Amino acid sequence: MNQSNSSRILRLAATEAKVGLKRDSIYRLARLGRFPKPIKISERASGWLEHELEDFIARRAAQRNAPEAIEVSKAVP
């Protein structure tokens, strides 16, 4: 987990801006268990915990920097 442990809740527009994905991708990845699930903040509103989004971004960066990812990228012309 990210050291900041921010408990700030981000709504959809801020979540899209933070992770660079659009609504459909966010909800599809969440259904697949590959993105943090939203939390209900009222009857008609949901949001995402900022520290969970930061962890998601850090995991994606770690995957990009993994040795096997580097090997694959070298093989692609």
Side-chain angles (χ1 to χ4, degrees):
M1 187 180 295
N2 191 310
Q3 293 300 320
S4 70
N5 259 353
S6 172
S7 58
R8 193 168 92 151
I9 297 172
L10 301 181
R11 298 291 303 274
L12 181 60
T15 298
E16 289 176 337
K18 185 164 189 85
V19 301
L21 295 170
K22 288 296 193 183
R23 178 187 186 279
D24 291 344
S25 295
I26 288 170
Y27 282 105
R28 180 176 44 81
L29 289 173
R31 267 193 318 275
L32 296 171
R34 296 171 41 199
F35 191 83
K37 294 193 183 291
I39 59 170
K40 291 293 273 182
I41 53 179
S42 74
E43 185 179 317
R44 298 183 57 185
S46 296
W48 287 261
L49 293 172
E50 188 171 31
H51 74 271
E52 291 181 355
L53 299 176
E54 290 169 357
D55 290 345
F56 169 80
I57 293 166
R59 284 192 310 274
R60 288 293 176 121
Q63 289 172 346
R64 176 199 65 194
N65 296 329
E68 55 274 2
I70 293 169
E71 291 301 319
V72 169
S73 66
K74 287 180 183 177
V76 176

